[in-house]
Amino acid sequence: MRLRIHNKMCRSRALVTSWVVLLVQLMCMEAVPISMDKTKVKEPEKVETPPASVDTGLHYDRYLREVIDFLEKDQHFREKLHNTDMEDIKQGKLAKELDFVSHHVRTKLDELKRQEVNRLRTLIKAKQDLEGGNDIAVDHQALLKQFEYLNHMNPHTFEVEDLDRLIKSATKDLENYDKERHEEFKRYEMMKEHDRREHLKTLGEEERKREEEHYEEMRKKHADHPKVNHPGSQNQLKEVWEEADGLDPEDFDPKTFFNIHDTNGDGFFDEQELEALFTKELEKIYDPSNEEDDMVEMEEERLRMREHVMNEVDSNKDRLVSLDEFLIATKKKEFLEPDSWETLEQNQAYTDEEMREFEEHLAQQEQDLNQKAVDLQKQRDELERQQEQLNEQKKELQQAVEHMERLKSQKVEPPPEVHIEGNAIPQMHAVDDQLHFNQEAQGQRPAAHVPPESPQEHQEEQKQDLAQHGVPQTHQDLPPGHQQAPQDQNNVL
């Protein structure tokens, strides 16, 4: 599981103040190469149109951008935006200016919010359908609470609270973005090392030895590169000035350098513009055509360089470098006499303890997956066994139905009853008839036919048969309580 750490992004150029740029920072992972023939300052009045495919990586990116775009169209809000510092913006002072925005802009913001609420409700419903809860009533108000960047209690109009929530949520999410990227890169590096170790286990002794030697050779080859200048130092910027801009290093001027590389002319270095300055340094270490160079590591190195410069130069922590901040930094000792820069190969992304815990976690995951596979196989076997039982029961049921149909087609009417001294006793002819039928069914020859007897003889024989089977023949022979039975109950129905 190799995680791609750095997504290629481009950020919007339409915003010209600190708060707006902060909200739409795309945390670009791959900088735009610097033009080799740029020799003069770019005119500040030219502002690029933001590309339609720009994405901050936030799940509410589109809503955020559309709100910013419409607020920028209001002249009053735009003026207040220019004159408000970052701390005031974070404290919600700028959001209060929403009350003075034009009716047209407010109406459009209301529409944007309604669309976003409907989008979230659609997502909630889709998630519920996937989880199989179609018959369960959905409490949208309760579920909307998880989305902190808007006021879900008022889904119809865009108010001051909505703007305040949006600013705070975007600021917090973007500030956490770099931290998450570092953690993701650490997992990537540990997984890469884990895969290498697992591969060695599959090799024989000689193959493993050759693989280890090749690995060490690639590491040494990667570390053998020209000296990397300290990011943001005079030496590093002069190298860009000379090799990328084609200017004489003796004529290096910080203000001119700033204007050349402020590519959107807004008076600030944003994160993308800063990362572009490190391209020449990164090319000393990484080459996509070399086996030993990992491009994911190159993007992590770019991120480290940009963070270092921001920490050193961005004094008000608005994630932007103004011209004044840049000029002040060029007068510091760190700019003129910097320390050497330690690259990634000199700073392992993880500790031995973290690697051990990571492998234990992977082992536990593998064990859990294996146990799930065993449980699923047992469930499959049990289902197959139950299916076999159902098939057997179905077969037996079909046989029983067929047997009942045969009996129904061969059913004989019951014989009339006879009366013996007040007790109704079935005639024995039914037994004889059934016996005769069974004998025919079994292929036996029935007994020879006996000529019918007279009624008196037949009654006498029945009495003898009943006496042999213990059936009472008179009232005296009946059990107590049955001797005085009424005459109308003597007949057995």
Side-chain angles (χ1 to χ4, degrees), residues 439-473:
Q439 288 176 343
E440 288 183 345
Q442 296 176 4
Q444 299 179 5
R445 182 183 298 275
H449 178 70
V450 179
E453 300 175 346
S454 63
Q456 295 80 5
E457 293 175 349
H458 182 70
Q459 185 175 3
E460 186 64 28
E461 289 181 0
Q462 284 187 336
K463 289 181 179 180
Q464 293 176 2
D465 292 338
L466 293 174
Q468 291 178 1
H469 290 83
V471 178
Q473 303 177 44

Side-chain angles (χ1 to χ4, degrees), residues 31-265:
V32 178
I34 302 172
S35 174
M36 296 294 293
D37 59 353
K38 179 184 280 188
T39 58
K40 52 185 179 179
V41 179
K42 185 175 182 177
E43 294 299 326
E45 63 268 18
K46 290 188 67 177
V47 180
E48 298 178 12
T49 302
S53 60
V54 171
D55 191 346
T56 59
L58 304 177
H59 68 88
Y60 51 92
D61 172 80
R62 180 176 178 178
Y63 175 66
L64 170 65
R65 291 185 176 281
E66 290 177 338
V67 169
I68 292 172
D69 289 344
F70 275 95
L71 286 174
E72 275 288 285
K73 295 177 181 179
D74 185 85
Q75 183 177 357
H76 171 80
F77 191 88
R78 186 166 58 250
E79 291 175 355
K80 290 292 182 180
L81 191 59
H82 293 173
N83 299 321
T84 307
D85 61 30
M86 180 56 61
E87 280 305 314
D88 288 342
I89 291 173
K90 290 181 178 180
Q91 292 174 9
K93 293 183 179 180
L94 182 65
K96 297 178 181 178
E97 298 297 326
L98 183 68
D99 290 334
F100 304 99
V101 169
S102 67
H103 175 73
H104 169 71
V105 173
R106 288 296 297 269
T107 301
K108 186 60 181 180
L109 292 176
D110 294 344
E111 181 182 346
L112 291 175
K113 182 178 179 180
R114 288 193 292 269
Q115 291 174 355
E116 182 68 6
V117 171
N118 288 335
R119 183 183 73 88
L120 295 178
R121 285 174 173 169
T122 302
L123 291 176
I124 292 171
K125 182 62 169 62
K127 182 179 179 181
Q128 182 198 26
D129 293 343
L130 288 175
E131 294 175 351
N134 296 332
D135 298 331
I136 302 176
V138 180
D139 186 354
H140 286 95
Q141 288 297 99
L143 294 175
L144 284 171
K145 290 181 180 179
Q146 61 186 300
F147 304 107
E148 299 178 353
Y149 62 93
L150 52 73
N151 178 16
H152 66 280
M153 297 303 294
N154 174 18
H156 305 295
T157 59
F158 189 95
E159 305 296 341
V160 171
E161 182 181 356
D162 292 293
L163 182 57
D164 186 46
R165 283 171 174 254
L166 187 59
I167 293 173
K168 292 179 179 178
S169 295
T171 303
K172 180 183 68 174
D173 293 342
L174 291 175
E175 286 177 347
N176 292 333
Y177 195 67
D178 283 349
K179 181 179 179 181
E180 293 173 0
R181 285 173 56 196
H182 284 307
E183 289 298 317
E184 199 170 342
F185 175 75
K186 181 188 294 186
R187 290 192 294 270
Y188 169 84
E189 288 288 284
M190 290 190 291
M191 179 60 74
K192 185 168 69 172
E193 175 62 16
H194 171 74
D195 290 344
R196 188 186 72 85
R197 294 178 182 180
E198 292 298 310
H199 175 65
L200 291 176
K201 294 178 182 179
T202 65
L203 303 178
E205 184 176 351
E206 290 297 324
E207 290 180 319
R208 184 164 54 251
K209 183 178 179 180
R210 288 195 298 270
E211 189 70 21
E212 288 283 16
E213 291 175 352
H214 177 70
Y215 174 72
E216 290 300 324
E217 179 184 353
M218 291 297 101
R219 288 186 60 183
K220 292 178 180 179
K221 187 176 179 181
H222 173 70
D224 184 18
H225 54 71
K227 178 185 176 181
V228 178
N229 292 314
H230 196 94
S233 67
Q234 179 177 245
N235 292 337
Q236 191 257 315
L237 298 185
K238 274 189 174 182
E239 192 170 291
V240 175
W241 174 276
E242 179 181 5
E243 298 187 15
D245 300 334
L247 300 176
D248 188 340
E250 298 299 325
D251 298 332
F252 177 77
D253 177 63
K255 184 174 182 179
T256 303
F257 181 91
F258 184 92
N259 289 329
I260 291 175
H261 295 281
D262 177 19
T263 56
N264 66 349

Side-chain angles (χ1 to χ4, degrees), residues 298-453:
M298 183 185 76
E299 294 306 319
E300 176 67 12
E301 191 73 78
R302 190 192 303 274
L303 172 60
R304 291 178 68 238
M305 290 180 174
R306 186 254 293 165
E307 286 182 328
H308 172 75
V309 173
M310 279 293 190
N311 291 333
E312 294 292 323
V313 182
D314 180 20
S315 57
N316 64 354
K317 305 303 177 186
D318 63 353
R319 303 174 72 88
L320 297 166
V321 175
S322 67
L323 175 59
D324 290 340
E325 289 173 329
F326 180 75
L327 295 178
I328 291 173
T330 60
K331 295 179 174 62
K332 294 180 179 179
K333 180 181 178 181
E334 292 81 2
F335 178 78
L336 302 173
E337 301 176 8
D339 298 329
S340 60
W341 176 254
E342 294 184 350
T343 56
L344 273 176
E345 67 262 14
Q346 298 169 288
N347 292 272
Q348 186 169 267
Y350 53 86
T351 64
D352 293 340
E353 179 64 18
E354 287 174 329
M355 185 65 194
R356 183 186 63 80
E357 293 177 355
F358 180 75
E359 290 192 313
E360 288 178 354
H361 178 68
L362 289 180
Q364 184 62 47
Q365 281 186 326
E366 183 177 2
Q367 181 179 345
D368 293 342
L369 289 174
N370 291 336
Q371 184 60 46
K372 287 181 180 180
V374 171
D375 294 341
L376 288 174
Q377 184 61 43
K378 289 181 179 179
Q379 293 177 11
R380 178 179 179 180
D381 295 342
E382 177 63 19
L383 289 174
E384 290 179 350
R385 187 187 65 80
Q386 293 178 2
Q387 184 62 44
E388 291 178 358
Q389 289 182 343
L390 290 174
N391 292 338
E392 290 295 326
Q393 292 176 1
K394 181 180 179 181
K395 184 177 179 181
E396 292 176 358
L397 181 61
Q398 289 176 343
Q399 293 176 347
V401 170
E402 293 173 358
H403 179 67
M404 292 296 295
E405 290 294 332
R406 287 195 301 269
L407 290 180
K408 183 177 179 181
S409 63
Q410 299 170 356
K411 184 176 180 181
V412 180
E413 293 296 329
E417 298 175 347
V418 297
H419 301 276
I420 303 177
E421 298 184 6
N423 292 289
I425 304 298
Q427 294 187 13
M428 300 304 294
H429 294 298
V431 178
D432 295 340
D433 292 341
Q434 183 64 36
L435 177 61
H436 179 80
F437 173 79
N438 291 339
Q439 288 176 343
E440 288 183 345
Q442 296 176 4
Q444 299 179 5
R445 182 183 298 275
H449 178 70
V450 179
E453 300 175 346

Side-chain angles (χ1 to χ4, degrees), residues 7-32 42 46-57 61 64-65 68-69 72 174 177 181 258 261-276 306 310 318-322:
N7 298 322
K8 299 180 179 179
M9 302 180 183
C10 296
R11 79 168 200 81
S12 174
R13 304 286 189 184
L15 308 176
V16 295
T17 63
S18 58
W19 169 70
V20 178
V21 177
L22 170 65
L23 289 184
V24 298
Q25 285 299 331
L26 297 183
M27 322 304 268
C28 296
M29 312 312 153
E30 187 161 320
V32 178
K42 185 175 182 177
K46 290 188 67 177
V47 180
E48 298 178 12
T49 302
S53 60
V54 171
D55 191 346
T56 59
D61 172 80
L64 170 65
R65 291 185 176 281
I68 292 172
D69 289 344
E72 275 288 285
L174 291 175
Y177 195 67
R181 285 173 56 196
F258 184 92
H261 295 281
D262 177 19
T263 56
N264 66 349
D266 63 359
F268 296 91
F269 274 167
D270 58 39
E271 294 177 346
Q272 180 188 12
E273 290 165 336
L274 276 178
E275 290 180 357
R306 186 254 293 165
M310 279 293 190
D318 63 353
R319 303 174 72 88
L320 297 166
V321 175
S322 67

